[in-house]
Amino acid sequence: MYNKESLHILQRALDKLSEGFAELPPFAEEIPPGVEEVLLQAAERMQDNFPYQHPLYAGQMLKPPHEIARLAYMLAMWINPNNHALDGGRASSAMEKEAVAEIALLFGWKEHLGHLTSSGTFANLEALWVASLIHPKKKILASELAHYTHERISHVLGIKFQKLSCTRTGEMDLKKLEAQLKKGNVGTVVVTMGTTGIGSVDPLPEILALQKRYAFRIHLDAA
Ligand SMILES: Cc1ncc(COP(=O)(O)O)c(C=O)c1O
């Protein structure tokens, strides 16, 4: 069922990676005892997971990552670079900056500051943390269909959070939003670019127009 041909590509990529370190004294990386046994046990246990990867399986909105993502992840694991600072991952930090610039371009942003995270939850955590620093006393507003992480994270960070009920088609209700904005205590509005439940997209252009009248931050959740 799985296409394992791509593992040859990984092998070639690993050879290419090692060429860059050919001047270092050679060393043999031993496979620790038990690796095969443990991996086979894990594979057997995972047979009891649902087959998200199968084209006929429709019970999950997620599919396994693209082939290139899986291979690139494995390739990176041979170094495990630390992108926290440039001296922890020179090349991979530069690659991260390129990736962020491409994501920003999807939204037409030429000026941007960002980094990659391990998940949507972490991205939301960081965005709401920044929101809480910029507007410590104001609340976070999100539609009732926004991802549940926003409410939980607001509790964790100790910031006020309020849900707005949606329109019949699941978008943020602009009249309800404006009524809240008029009160002057909204610091950040969460705008979801595809809700988890039904895929509805909050009306970003109209919310941007409201932003010109009322000062608030927008947190785009496109996870
Ligand atoms: C809109 C939205 N935001 C955030 C998340 C959380 O992302 P993750 O599961 O990568 O932490 C999800 C996950 O389904 C999501 O659909």
Side-chain angles (χ1 to χ4, degrees), residues 151-171:
E151 186 167 11
R152 280 194 196 172
I153 289 167
S154 300
H155 284 303
V156 171
L157 294 169
I159 5 173
K160 286 194 201 100
F161 174 88
Q162 190 186 334
K163 266 191 244 183
L164 287 180
S165 52
C166 290
T167 62
R168 285 184 62 213
T169 43
E171 292 93 29

Side-chain angles (χ1 to χ4, degrees), residues 2 28 40 48 51 92-93 134 147 168 202 205 218-219:
Y2 293 114
L40 289 178
D48 193 35
S92 43
S93 293
I134 294 176
H147 196 259
R168 285 184 62 213
D202 285 333
I218 291 179
H219 164 47

Side-chain angles (χ1 to χ4, degrees), residues 61 118-122 124 147 149-150 192 194-196 221-223:
M61 73 279 203
S118 55
S119 72
T121 302
F122 268 94
N124 289 342
H147 196 259
T149 44
H150 301 289
T192 308
T195 57
T196 321
D221 183 0

Side-chain angles (χ1 to χ4, degrees), residues 112-163:
H112 54 82
L113 179 66
H115 68 97
L116 301 179
T117 71
S118 55
S119 72
T121 302
F122 268 94
N124 289 342
L125 172 71
E126 195 167 318
L128 296 191
W129 173 63
V130 172
S132 74
L133 295 179
I134 294 176
H135 296 297
K137 301 227 167 77
K138 294 189 170 178
K139 60 178 146 184
I140 310 276
L141 217 63
S143 94
E144 61 187 335
L145 285 181
H147 196 259
Y148 63 86
T149 44
H150 301 289
E151 186 167 11
R152 280 194 196 172
I153 289 167
S154 300
H155 284 303
V156 171
L157 294 169
I159 5 173
K160 286 194 201 100
F161 174 88
Q162 190 186 334
K163 266 191 244 183

Side-chain angles (χ1 to χ4, degrees), residues 194-205:
T195 57
T196 321
I198 62 168
S200 51
V201 177
D202 285 333
L204 183 59

